C-alpha cells in the first residue's frame, strides 16, 4: 500500500516534471520565434537607448558588440568599420543612418537566400519571416519618405510572397502549389521600394545593392544562426527523468524479490 | 419440502425477472433522456454559435482554416491539427471559418453527453446519470466554450470520451481497451496539448498491469512494450502531420520550443507572471478561476445552490459512513485500482499543472476542473441511498441543472449578441481614421489585423522603443491601447498628462477576461 503510494507519487511527479521542464528548458532556443530577427532586435535596442535626451552610449555599444561578428561575417568588413567609426565618434544620426543601412543589407540577405532555396519550404518561410521582422523595424522610418503611402501595399506584398510559397497542407488538406514567379515579384517590389531610402552614411559597402542572388557576399549558410541552446539544462532534465524511471524500475524489482 | 423449495426458487426467479425488466426499462429511459439532452443541446447551440474571433488564439485558429502555418502562428504551436481538420470538415456546411470551428466544438460537445452518462452509470442509476450529464454540459462557462472558435470546446468533449475509455480500461485491462484509450489520448493531444496531465491515467493503468502477478514477466513485458508503442504511435501521428505541414521535423520541434519559451515566459503579461505571490496565485486559481468564474459564472444563486447540494451530500455521506464499515487496508487497495481513483489522480495532476504552468489570467484553463468537480458532486449526491436524503438531493440537483441551464443559455446568447470590446475598437478605428494614424497595441493587434482596420497597428513592448518610434513618426497621429499605456507606466515614470483618453470599450469580462475592457488613448507627447 505504502509502496504503491510512493510509486504513484513518483509517477505523478515525473509526468509533471516532463510537462513542466521541457518547455522551460526550451527557453534556451531563440530560433523558433519567427517574430524576432537578431539584427532587427539589436537595432530596436540601439534606437531605444540613443533616443533619450542623454543617449546611453554604453548600452548601445554593448548591443552593437553582441551582433558585430554576425554583421562582419555577413556584410563584410567595410560595414563594421563604418559602424565602429560611427560609434567611436558617438554621432547618433550617423549610427542610426548606418544601422538602417544594415537592416536593408539584412533584408537583401534574407530575400536572397529565400529565393535561392525556394524549394525548401520551411527554410524559405523562416527567411521570409525574418525579412518581415527586419521590415517591421524599418517601418516607423518610412514616414516622411516616398514609401509612406505604400505601407499597406508593402504589407500585402509580404502576405502575397508568403502565399506564393504554397503549402504542403495538413494531412493533404489545404495543399497549395508554390509560385516562384509571384514570390520573386513581391520580394523585388518590397526591396526596390525600401532599399534606396536608407543608404549607409559611409556609402562604403552595400549601399544601393540590388537584389541579386549571385552577388551575395556572405560565406555563411543561410540558416547559420547563433545557437544559444543551453545543452546543460536539457541534459539535466533528461537525466532527472531517467533517474526517476530507474528509481521506479528498481522499486518494482525490489518489490518482486 | 421439495415443493416449497421449488416454489421459493420460482418466486426468486420471477422476482429477478421483474427486476431485470425494471432495470432494462430504466436503462432505456436514461438513454432516451441523454439522447434528448444531446439533441436539445445541439439544436440550441446551432442557433447560438459565436460569430466573433475576438482573441489572439481565436484568430490563430480561424486563420488556420485557410492556411495552416505554425510559423505565422496560424495556429500557434503545437498545431492543434485535429481541431483544425475538424473545422475544415465543418466548413463544408458553413463557409464562415469562425462558425465552422464553433460548429465542430458543438458537435463534439453534444456527443460528450454519452461518455459522461456512461461514466456516471458506474455509480448511479440511469435517470440520475442523465441528470449528471445535464449538469456537466450546462456549466455556463464551459457551454460558452462549446460554441466559440477555441480548441477547449472540442478538447473538453474529447476529454470525456478519453476518461470513459480510461474507466473501461481500469475495469478490464485488455489490449482492445488500451488501444481505444491510447487512440483517444492521441485525439485529445492533437486537439489540445495542455490537457497532457490526463495521460497519467494511462500511466497508472500501465503500472497496475506491470504489477499484475497473474501473468509471467515475459508476458507483461511484451504487453507493456506493445502498449507503450501504440500510445507513442498515436501521438507521433499528429506530430508527424504537423511536421509535414510545416516542412520538416527539426524545424517544427524548434518552433514548438520557441513558442514554449514565449508562451510560458511572456504570454499575456500582466498578472500571469511571477509578479503574483504564490499564495495569491493559489487563491485566485481555486477561488476565482475554478469556482467563482469557472463553475458559477459569477452568478450568486448558482454558488448558493451548489453549496447547498455540497453540504447536503457531505452530511448524507457522513451518515452512510457511520453505518457502513470503516475503510480498511484491503478496501483501500481495491480503491487504488478503481476507476474513481484513476479519475481523481488525473484531476489532481491537471489541477497542479493548470495552477503552475498555465496563464492564470484565463479562467478557461480551469474548465476541465469545473466540469469534473461538478460531475463528482452530482455523482456523490445522486448516490445517496437513505430515503429522505436521497429525495432532497435529487430535488437540489434538478434545481441546480435548471438554474444552470437558464444562466448558461443567457450567457451563451449574450456571447453571440454582444460585440466584443476589440470589435468595438476596430469599428471606431474604421470610422474615424486619418490614414496616417498609428495605433500601438499589445495582443489586440492580432485581432485588429484580422479585422483589417484601415490604420497601421504596431505591437510594442518597451516604452523606450516607443519613444524612438514616436519621434520618427512626428507627423502622424499616435494612438495607444490601455494595456500598452498601463505597461508604459509600469516601466517608467510617465506623467498622465502625456495622453488623452478617447474612449473605453467594454464587453462582458467573463467572455473575454483579458481584453473585455479596452481603453483608447491619444499620445500628446
Amino acid at each position: 500500500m505504502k509502496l504503491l503510494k510512493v510509486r504513484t507519487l513518483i509517477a505523478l511527479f515525473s509526468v509533471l516534471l516532463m510537462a513542466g521542464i521541457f518547455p522551460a528548458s526550451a527557453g534556451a532556443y531563440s530560433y523558433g520565434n519567427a517574430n524576432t530577427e537578431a539584427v532587427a532586435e539589436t537595432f530596436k535596442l540601439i534606437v531605444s537607448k540613443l533616443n533619450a535626451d542623454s543617449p546611453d552610449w554604453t548600452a548601445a555599444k554593448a548591443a552593437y558588440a553582441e551582433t558585430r561578428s554576425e554583421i562582419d561575417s555577413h556584410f563584410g568588413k567595410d560595414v563594421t568599420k563604418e559602424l565602429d567609426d560611427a560609434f567611436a565618434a558617438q554621432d547618433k544620426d550617423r549610427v542610426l543612418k548606418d544601422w538602417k543601412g544594415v537592416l536593408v543589407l539584412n533584408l537583401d540577405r534574407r530575400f536572397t537566400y529565400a529565393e535561392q532555396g525556394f524549394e525548401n519550404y520551411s527554410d524559405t518561410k523562416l527567411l521570409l519571416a525574418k525579412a518581415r521582422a527586419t521590415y517591421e523595424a524599418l517601418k516607423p522610418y518610412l514616414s516622411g519618405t516616398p514609401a509612406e503611402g505604400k505601407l499597406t501595399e508593402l504589407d500585402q506584398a509580404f502576405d502575397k510572397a508568403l502565399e506564393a510559397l504554397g503549402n504542403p497542407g495538413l494531412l493533404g488538406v489545404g495543399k497549395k502549389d508554390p509560385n516562384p514567379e509571384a514570390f520573386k515579384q513581391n520580394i523585388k517590389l518590397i526591396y526596390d521600394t525600401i532599399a534606396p531610402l536608407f543608404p549607409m552614411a559611409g556609402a562604403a559597402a552595400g549601399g544601393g545593392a540590388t537584389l541579386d542572388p549571385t552577388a551575395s557576399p556572405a560565406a555563411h549558410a543561410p540558416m547559420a544562426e547563433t545557437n544559444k541552446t543551453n545543452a546543460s539544462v536539457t541534459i539535466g532534465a533528461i537525466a532527472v527523468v531517467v533517474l526517476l524511471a530507474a528509481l521506479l524500475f528498481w522499486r518494482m524489482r525490489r518489490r518482486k524479490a | 419440502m421439495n415443493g416449497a423449495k421449488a416454489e421459493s426458487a420460482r418466486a426468486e426467479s420471477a422476482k429477478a425477472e421483474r427486476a431485470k425488466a425494471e432495470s432494462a426499462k430504466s436503462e432505456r429511459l436514461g438513454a432516451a433522456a441523454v439522447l434528448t439532452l444531446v439533441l436539445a443541446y445541439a439544436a440550441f447551440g446551432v442557433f447560438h454559435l459565436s460569430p466573433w474571433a475576438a482573441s489572439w488564439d481565436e484568430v490563430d485558429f480561424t486563420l488556420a482554416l485557410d492556411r495552416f502555418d505554425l510559423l505565422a502562428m496560424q495556429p500557434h504551436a503545437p498545431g492543434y491539427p485535429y481541431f483544425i481538420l475538424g473545422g475544415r470538415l465543418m466548413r463544408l456546411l458553413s463557409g464562415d471559418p469562425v462558425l465552422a470551428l464553433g460548429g465542430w466544438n458543438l458537435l463534439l460537445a453534444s456527443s460528450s453527453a454519452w461518455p459522461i452518462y456512461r461514466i456516471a452509470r458506474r455509480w448511479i442509476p440511469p435517470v440520475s446519470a442523465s441528470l449528471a450529464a445535464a449538469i456537466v454540459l450546462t456549466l455556463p462557462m464551459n457551454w460558452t466554450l462549446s460554441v466559440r472558435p477555441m480548441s477547449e470546446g472540442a478538447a473538453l468533449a474529447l476529454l470525456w470520451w478519453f476518461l470513459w475509455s480510461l474507466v473501461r480500461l481500469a475495469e478490464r485491462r485488455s489490449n482492445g481497451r488500451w488501444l481505444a484509450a491510447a487512440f483517444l489520448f492521441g485525439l485529445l493531444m492533437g486537439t489540445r496539448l495542455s490537457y497532457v496531465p490526463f495521460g497519467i491515467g494511462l500511466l497508472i493503468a500501465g503500472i497496475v498491469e506491470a504489477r499484475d502477478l497473474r501473468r509471467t514477466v515475459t508476458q507483461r513485458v511484451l504487453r507493456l512494450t506493445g502498449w507503450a508503442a501504440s500510445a507513442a504511435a498515436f501521438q507521433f501521428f499528429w506530430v508527424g502531420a504537423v511536421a509535414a505541414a510545416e516542412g520538416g521535423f527539426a524545424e517544427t520541434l524548434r518552433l514548438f520550443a520557441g513558442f514554449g519559451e514565449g508562451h510560458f515566459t511572456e504570454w499575456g503579461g500582466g498578472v500571469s507572471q511571477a509578479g503574483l505571490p504564490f499564495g495569491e496565485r493559489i487563491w485566485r486559481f481555486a477561488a476565482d478561476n475554478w469556482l467563482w468564474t469557472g463553475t458559477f459564472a459569477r452568478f450568486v444563486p448558482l454558488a448558493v445552490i451548489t453549496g447547498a447540494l455540497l453540504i447536503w451530500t457531505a452530511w448524507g455521506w457522513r451518515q452512510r459512513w457511520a453505518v457502513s464499515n470503516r475503510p480498511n487496508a484491503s478496501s483501500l487497495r481495491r480503491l487504488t485500482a478503481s476507476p474513481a481513483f484513476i479519475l481523481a489522480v488525473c484531476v489532481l495532476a491537471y489541477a497542479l499543472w493548470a495552477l503552475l504552468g498555465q496563464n492564470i489570467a484565463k479562467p478557461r484553463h480551469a474548465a476541465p476542473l469545473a466540469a469534473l468537480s461538478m460531475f463528482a458532486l452530482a455523482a456523490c449526491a445522486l448516490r445517496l441511498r437513505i430515503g429522505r436524503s436521497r429525495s432532497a438531493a435529487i430535488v437540489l440537483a434538478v434545481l441546480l441543472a435548471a438554474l444552470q441551464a437558464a444562466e448558461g443559455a443567457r450567457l451563451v446568447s449574450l456571447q453571440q449578441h454582444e460585440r466584443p470590446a476589440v470589435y468595438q475598437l476596430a469599428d471606431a478605428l474604421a470610422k474615424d481614421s486619418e490614414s496616417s494614424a498609428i495605433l500601438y497595441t499589445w495582443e489586440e493587434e492580432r485581432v485588429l489585423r484580422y479585422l483589417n482596420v484601415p490604420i497601421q497597428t504596431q505591437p510594442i513592448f518597451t516604452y523606450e522603443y516607443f519613444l524612438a518610434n514616436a519621434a520618427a513618426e512626428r507627423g502622424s497621429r499616435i494612438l495607444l491601447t490601455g494595456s500598452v499605456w498601463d505597461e508604459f507606466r509600469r516601466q517608467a515614470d510617465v506623467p498622465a498628462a502625456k495622453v488623452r483618453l478617447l474612449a473605453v470599450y467594454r464587453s462582458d469580462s467573463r467572455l473575454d477576461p483579458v481584453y473585455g475592457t479596452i481603453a483608447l488613448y491619444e499620445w500628446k507627447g
Side-chain angles (χ1 to χ4, degrees):
Chain A
M1 182 57 226
K2 202 180 141 223
L3 217 59
L4 182 74
K5 235 187 211 162
V6 171
R7 204 170 297 160
T8 316
L9 275 179
I10 293 176
L12 176 71
F13 185 63
S14 46
V15 164
L16 284 174
L17 205 72
M18 276 160 74
I21 272 192
F22 283 114
S25 74
Y29 292 95
S30 65
Y31 187 86
N33 190 350
N35 303 317
T36 60
E37 163 70 300
V39 178
E41 291 305 313
T42 309
F43 169 72
K44 289 182 188 174
L45 198 62
I46 290 174
V47 167
S48 307
K49 295 300 173 196
L50 295 188
N51 178 66
D53 295 333
S54 52
D56 185 349
W57 281 99
T58 325
K61 278 177 188 162
Y64 167 54
E66 286 261 318
T67 36
R68 192 181 179 281
S69 66
E70 192 179 342
I71 294 171
D72 191 61
S73 62
H74 283 291
F75 308 130
K77 297 241 178 296
D78 293 346
V79 176
T80 37
K81 186 173 178 305
E82 166 58 26
L83 284 169
D84 289 345
D85 293 347
F87 271 104
Q90 300 214 345
D91 179 344
K92 182 180 144 190
D93 291 335
R94 183 171 164 199
V95 165
L96 293 185
K97 192 164 194 251
D98 283 344
W99 261 96
K100 288 169 202 157
V102 167
L103 290 184
V104 171
L105 289 175
N106 195 56
L107 205 60
D108 173 45
R109 162 194 173 205
R110 295 311 194 188
F111 278 159
T112 303
Y113 283 115
E115 200 178 331
Q116 275 177 0
F118 186 77
E119 298 75 33
N120 187 331
Y121 173 73
S122 59
D123 282 0
T124 311
K125 197 147 66 84
L126 187 61
L127 291 169
L128 186 62
K130 288 187 176 292
R132 190 163 197 162
T134 310
Y135 156 74
E136 294 287 346
L138 276 173
K139 221 178 188 178
Y141 305 96
L142 295 178
S143 90
T145 73
E148 186 175 5
K150 292 187 188 164
L151 290 182
T152 320
E153 196 187 332
L154 291 172
D155 285 338
Q156 281 169 356
F158 269 108
D159 290 341
K160 284 184 203 154
L162 181 61
E163 208 53 47
L165 293 181
N167 193 305
L170 182 57
L171 294 173
V173 184
K175 190 173 186 310
K176 283 186 192 119
D177 287 329
N179 181 350
E181 273 317 303
F183 182 75
K184 268 181 220 166
Q185 275 169 20
N186 281 295
I187 59 172
K188 189 170 181 328
L189 169 78
I190 297 163
Y191 189 77
D192 289 349
T193 311
I194 294 175
L197 305 175
F198 303 107
M200 286 186 74
T210 51
L211 191 56
D212 178 6
T214 53
S216 173
H220 278 246
M223 303 308 273
E225 288 292 316
T226 44
N227 192 352
K228 292 186 200 149
T229 312
N230 190 344
S232 59
V233 178
T234 311
I235 291 171
I238 293 171
V240 169
V241 172
V242 167
L243 203 73
L244 278 168
L247 191 65
L248 203 73
F249 185 70
W250 174 70
R251 290 206 72 120
M252 276 166 72
R253 287 289 299 272
R254 215 177 60 145
R255 164 78 192 257
K256 242 170 258 154
Chain B
M1 190 68 185
N2 261 354
K5 220 180 206 169
E7 183 132 320
S8 89
R10 253 202 310 281
E12 259 324 278
S13 84
K15 206 168 145 195
E17 205 53 41
R18 261 204 311 280
K20 215 170 143 192
E22 191 74 14
S23 93
K25 201 175 134 198
S26 117
E27 201 73 57
R28 274 199 303 276
L29 199 62
V34 172
L35 189 67
T36 315
L37 173 68
V38 169
L39 292 177
Y41 193 80
F44 182 85
V46 164
F47 293 104
H48 292 86
L49 291 173
S50 161
W52 322 111
S55 70
W56 182 296
D57 296 26
E58 286 173 345
V59 170
D60 284 5
F61 293 132
T62 304
L63 292 174
L65 292 200
D66 286 318
R67 177 189 169 81
F68 187 88
D69 185 343
L70 290 199
L71 193 67
M73 286 227 182
Q74 48 187 78
H76 48 271
Y80 308 78
Y82 295 134
F83 182 58
I84 301 305
L85 284 172
R88 284 188 168 163
L89 187 72
M90 294 306 281
R91 223 170 169 196
L92 301 175
L93 299 176
S94 158
D96 185 319
V98 177
L99 297 184
L101 286 171
W104 176 247
N105 282 337
L106 179 65
L107 184 74
L108 293 185
S110 308
S111 80
S112 71
W114 184 248
I116 300 173
Y117 172 75
R118 290 312 306 171
I119 300 173
R121 281 292 288 115
R122 264 60 184 179
W123 298 287
I124 54 183
V127 179
S128 303
S130 63
L131 182 59
I135 289 178
V136 171
L137 279 187
T138 56
L139 266 168
M141 294 301 284
N142 292 10
W143 196 350
T144 63
L145 287 172
S146 74
V147 287
R148 64 192 285 174
M150 275 302 301
S151 66
E152 258 99 351
L156 275 171
L158 286 168
L159 176 63
W160 284 108
W161 284 99
F162 168 65
L163 291 178
W164 183 35
S165 73
L166 264 187
V167 166
R168 284 169 52 83
L169 180 64
E171 286 161 352
R172 192 161 67 80
R173 291 189 307 279
S174 71
N175 288 328
R177 289 185 173 195
W178 172 273
L179 277 181
F183 171 70
L184 281 164
F185 192 55
L187 287 188
L188 182 62
M189 293 299 91
T191 298
R192 188 160 186 88
L193 185 60
S194 70
Y195 285 7
V196 66
F198 288 101
I200 201 168
L202 288 176
L203 206 63
I204 293 177
I207 291 171
V208 174
E209 175 67 20
R211 294 172 65 244
D212 190 343
L213 300 176
R214 282 171 302 181
R215 284 182 225 280
T216 67
V217 173
T218 326
Q219 274 175 331
R220 276 181 274 159
V221 166
L222 279 177
R223 258 167 92 86
L224 283 171
T225 310
W227 285 15
S230 60
F234 286 127
Q235 299 304 330
F236 270 114
F237 184 72
W238 70 263
V239 176
V242 171
E246 203 47 35
F249 253 106
E251 290 82 357
T252 310
L253 289 180
R254 268 191 298 239
L255 262 180
F256 279 24
F259 178 74
E261 177 195 6
H263 195 63
F264 290 98
T265 56
E266 65 193 31
W267 205 252
V271 293
S272 58
Q273 302 317 323
L276 205 61
F278 193 62
E280 224 167 284
R281 193 180 168 92
I282 293 180
W283 170 251
R284 176 153 179 183
F285 177 77
D288 187 9
N289 291 5
W290 170 36
L291 293 173
W292 178 234
T293 303
T295 307
F296 310 133
R298 301 181 198 160
F299 186 54
V300 176
L302 266 185
V304 170
I305 196 160
T306 308
L309 185 62
L310 181 67
I311 291 168
W312 188 258
T313 307
W315 182 76
W317 276 83
R318 233 198 74 208
Q319 282 199 321
R320 242 186 93 168
W321 276 46
V323 293
S324 72
N325 290 331
R326 289 263 151 203
N328 54 30
S330 89
S331 75
L332 274 179
R333 187 165 312 129
R334 257 182 289 121
L335 177 76
T336 50
S338 74
F341 176 78
I342 289 187
L343 292 183
V345 173
C346 284
V347 172
L348 195 70
Y350 181 80
L352 273 175
W353 155 245
L355 170 68
L356 301 175
Q358 297 277 60
N359 186 344
I360 198 145
K362 293 170 181 166
R364 61 184 162 82
H365 290 137
L369 297 181
L372 279 151
S373 50
M374 282 309 270
F375 175 82
L377 176 61
C380 290
L382 298 169
R383 198 175 153 78
L384 288 174
R385 292 218 186 89
I386 305 165
R388 254 189 312 161
S389 72
R390 176 168 170 76
S391 341
I394 289 178
V395 169
L396 279 174
V398 169
L399 257 173
L400 172 63
L403 197 65
Q404 237 183 215
E407 176 62 11
R410 208 173 64 82
L411 194 61
V412 167
S413 162
L414 178 74
Q415 171 173 266
Q416 184 192 19
H417 292 115
E418 185 184 59
R419 216 168 165 74
V422 62
Y423 272 68
Q424 298 172 30
L425 170 64
D427 292 346
L429 294 175
K431 232 179 270 162
D432 141 60
S433 71
E434 288 170 46
S435 61
S436 68
I438 296 161
L439 174 66
Y440 284 90
T441 76
W442 218 338
E443 285 176 324
E444 311 95 315
E445 204 256 351
R446 184 73 167 166
V447 183
L448 295 174
R449 279 254 171 110
Y450 167 72
L451 295 175
N452 273 325
V453 294
I455 65 168
Q456 285 292 316
T457 52
Q458 183 164 3
I460 189 93
F461 295 100
T462 69
Y463 180 59
E464 275 181 332
Y465 184 53
F466 165 77
L467 284 181
N469 283 359
E473 293 157 339
R474 244 175 227 121
S476 313
R477 184 175 180 218
I478 294 176
L479 304 171
L480 310 174
T481 57
S483 46
V484 169
W485 174 237
D486 294 343
E487 177 61 23
F488 284 176
R489 301 199 79 185
R490 266 195 290 276
Q491 288 178 8
D493 186 21
V494 197
K498 287 263 186 194
V499 293
R500 187 165 68 89
L501 181 66
L502 296 181
V504 180
Y505 306 97
R506 285 196 178 85
S507 53
D508 196 302
S509 67
R510 287 172 295 182
L511 301 171
D512 190 345
V514 186
Y515 294 101
T517 302
I518 301 176
L520 180 65
Y521 294 95
E522 180 171 358
W523 179 253
K524 297 197 296 189

